[in-house]
Amino acid sequence: MRKLLLFIVMLAPFSILAQSNNAPSSYAPHEINITGYLQTQFQWAESAGINSFSGGDFTKNSDSRFMIRRGRLKIDRADKYSSIVFQIDATQNGVQLMDAFIQLHQEDSKQFLFTAGLFNRPFGYSIVYSSGYRDFPERARVFQTLMPRERDLGAMITFKPDYKPLSFLTADIAVINGSGLTARDYDSKKDIVANLGFKFDSLSNKKLHLGFGTSYYKGYVRSDTETFFVRNGNGYVKDTNPGHVNDYANRDYYGANLQLQYDNSFGTTLFKAEYVAGKQPGVASSSDITGPAASMSFSAQPKTDLYLRDFNGYYFWLTQRIGKSKFNALLAYDVYDPNIHVSENEIGAPNSNTTAGDIKFSTLGYGLTYTMNGRLKLTVYNEHVVNDDTQLPQYTKDIKDDVFTARLQYRW
């Protein structure tokens, strides 16, 4: 047992499970329980047809839209030894399976959980935190790029001690397909996700709540061609070898996260931050693949040459409840740099083989929420998205891709 625990800790990655998607509504034995939430919203974009991480790209001739962002219906059941969770998402785009997993545990303890099926990858904090409780409309660009749709198919072991000396600890390790968006595997490799989290409640006379953790993702992307594009100075060079066909590029992420809550005379203050860096195989942008999509994780076998990129990204989220009112002020800043070894003004230089898939984006977000009651919440939020100037014709200056969102959410 000691060797097993040491192995888990050495692998690191863990997450704080408050409002976690990877759990039923309650572990107390119950028959079918139905919960969910609906998010309906209006959005206005600075330009028509922009690529956006605020609910998806806008269509070619549209700079405004009404949409159902999420329409979640969750069904779960629990008994003495197990539970089952099944969740769908119904929007104007159709119905999609979100969660479908079985959890096993001891009759008198939940400190060891075995989960099998389709579930949230246990990486960091924001991935497993439910969108129905998150203050901000969307997850940061870096996590939407690395882990689109958040879920994957596989199996997971969770360790959360139920005895006081270690009750602040949560540890997860999962083996998954690695294809994320569709969850259908396209190669023989499996990815490993590990997450380690610590949570301390009721510090400083019960006014301060602290959480932090670290994460690790070990994955692979299969090559279907003879060429890798590898870094050389401020650009890429071709590495062509017949042996690259059916070879694998490393997909490695390292993450750290922090959550602070302080109850004060001005109202509750929440600060959350997360950082992730590593290796993200991608492709070149093209007429069929937009710049942001060129560095996005693959849901199917990539057909073109792989680009081997080193990346980093992070976000800061600040929520301030305004006194004892029902209003919360929101402020956020996030950055995703898909290629940390090249400056934006060098992207598009002759013979560099750099493309729009190498451009760094930063987003400043700000807004308000009004919690009408325990079920109904209104959010107004604006995102100012910035990219630096490059030598690429379509990115010689900051593109106009800000987005304003007005959202109404009902949760039951």
Side-chain angles (χ1 to χ4, degrees):
M1 178 60 71
R2 290 182 181 177
K3 290 183 179 180
L4 175 61
L5 295 181
L6 179 61
F7 175 69
I8 294 175
V9 171
M10 290 294 289
L11 279 176
F14 291 5
S15 63
I16 296 167
L17 294 181
Q19 313 301 348
S20 171
N21 274 323
N22 291 338
S25 57
S26 171
Y27 283 108
H30 62 271
E31 292 300 322
I32 297 297
N33 191 29
I34 301 176
T35 56
Y37 58 95
L38 177 66
Q39 296 174 344
T40 180
Q41 64 188 36
F42 172 78
Q43 291 185 304
W44 174 82
E46 197 173 8
S47 304
I50 63 168
N51 301 125
S52 176
F53 284 77
S54 300
D57 297 342
F58 283 70
T59 53
K60 181 179 180 180
N61 299 307
S62 173
D63 65 359
S64 64
R65 63 189 179 189
F66 287 98
M67 66 184 300
I68 303 298
R69 180 61 184 96
R70 296 176 179 91
R72 301 292 171 82
L73 184 66
K74 181 177 180 179
I75 302 171
D76 65 80
R77 182 187 184 278
D79 57 34
K80 293 189 296 183
Y81 305 100
S82 63
S83 60
I84 183 171
V85 173
F86 184 85
Q87 181 175 207
I88 59 173
D89 185 34
T91 71
Q92 67 281 340
N93 298 321
V95 179
Q96 185 177 42
L97 179 64
M98 297 304 293
D99 298 298
F101 60 84
I102 298 170
Q103 281 189 338
L104 305 177
H105 52 75
Q106 296 172 282
E107 178 182 2
D108 56 350
S109 173
K110 308 298 185 298
Q111 69 174 352
F112 281 102
L113 291 171
F114 174 75
T115 306
L118 179 65
F119 51 83
N120 280 71
R121 285 167 279 194
F123 187 95
Y125 176 81
S126 67
I127 288 292
V128 299
Y129 193 83
S130 171
S131 298
Y133 291 93
R134 190 180 58 244
D135 293 321
F136 296 84
E138 305 296 338
R139 292 176 176 87
R141 176 186 289 253
V142 58
F143 287 105
Q144 292 192 57
T145 302
L146 301 179
M147 300 183 186
R149 193 172 162 245
E150 301 87 47
R151 279 89 173 163
D152 214 321
L153 269 168
M156 174 173 64
I157 295 175
T158 299
F159 174 59
K160 184 173 177 59
D162 53 13
Y163 43 91
K164 287 188 176 180
L166 291 176
S167 59
F168 57 82
L169 171 68
T170 300
D172 310 283
I173 183 167
V175 180
I176 58 175
N177 282 341
S179 48
L181 189 64
T182 64
R184 294 189 295 269
D185 211 348
Y186 57 83
D187 59 32
S188 298
K189 293 279 191 179
K190 298 294 176 284
D191 294 357
I192 297 175
V193 193
N195 192 59
L196 179 61
F198 304 87
K199 186 177 181 182
F200 300 91
D201 287 325
S202 303
L203 303 174
S204 185
N205 295 322
K206 300 183 178 181
K207 292 183 177 180
L208 178 65
H209 311 277
L210 170 67
F212 56 92
T214 179
S215 305
Y216 176 62
Y217 187 106
K218 179 60 180 178
Y220 306 90
V221 175
R222 179 186 173 277
S223 172
D224 205 41
T225 73
E226 298 182 351
T227 299
F228 284 152
F229 278 84
V230 297
R231 182 169 66 91
N232 181 36
N234 298 327
Y236 299 98
V237 294
K238 286 186 176 183
D239 178 0
T240 301
N241 187 321
H244 288 332
V245 178
N246 205 34
D247 197 3
Y248 287 86
N250 289 326
R251 178 188 175 193
D252 299 331
Y253 310 153
Y254 306 87
N257 61 82
L258 171 70
Q259 304 83 47
L260 289 170
Q261 177 180 324
Y262 183 63
D263 302 321
N264 54 74
S265 57
F266 300 104
T268 300
T269 302
L270 277 167
F271 175 76
K272 301 177 181 180
E274 199 157 359
Y275 175 84
V276 60
K279 298 181 181 298
Q280 173 74 344
V283 294
S285 62
S286 65
S287 58
D288 298 325
I289 301 174
T290 64
S295 63
M296 188 170 288
S297 295
F298 301 106
S299 59
Q301 172 63 54
K303 301 298 184 183
T304 55
D305 299 333
L306 294 181
Y307 275 60
L308 308 186
R309 297 185 174 107
D310 294 328
F311 77 92
N312 67 20
Y314 55 87
Y315 69 80
F316 301 106
W317 288 347
L318 179 65
T319 303
Q320 176 64 55
R321 183 180 178 186
I322 303 175
K324 296 183 179 180
S325 74
K326 297 182 179 181
F327 288 94
N328 285 286
L330 309 178
L331 181 65
Y333 183 71
D334 72 74
V335 170
Y336 176 57
D337 187 351
N339 186 346
I340 61 175
H341 299 295
V342 61
S343 299
E344 264 52 41
N345 58 16
E346 297 169 331
I347 296 175
N351 302 316
S352 69
N353 291 311
T354 52
T355 72
D358 300 297
I359 298 175
K360 177 175 69 174
F361 283 83
S362 61
T363 304
L364 174 66
Y366 48 90
L368 284 171
T369 67
Y370 175 63
T371 305
M372 302 178 190
N373 53 50
R375 299 185 184 277
L376 197 59
K377 181 174 71 174
L378 173 66
T379 301
V380 291
Y381 194 75
N382 190 68
E383 290 176 299
H384 177 53
V385 185
V386 175
N387 62 272
D388 292 337
D389 300 348
T390 76
Q391 298 184 43
L392 298 170
Q394 65 271 47
Y395 291 96
T396 55
K397 59 183 179 179
D398 181 37
I399 59 178
K400 304 300 183 182
D401 53 353
D402 294 1
V403 177
F404 170 80
T405 300
R407 173 184 294 175
L408 192 61
Q409 173 181 290
Y410 187 93
R411 190 176 66 241
W412 68 91

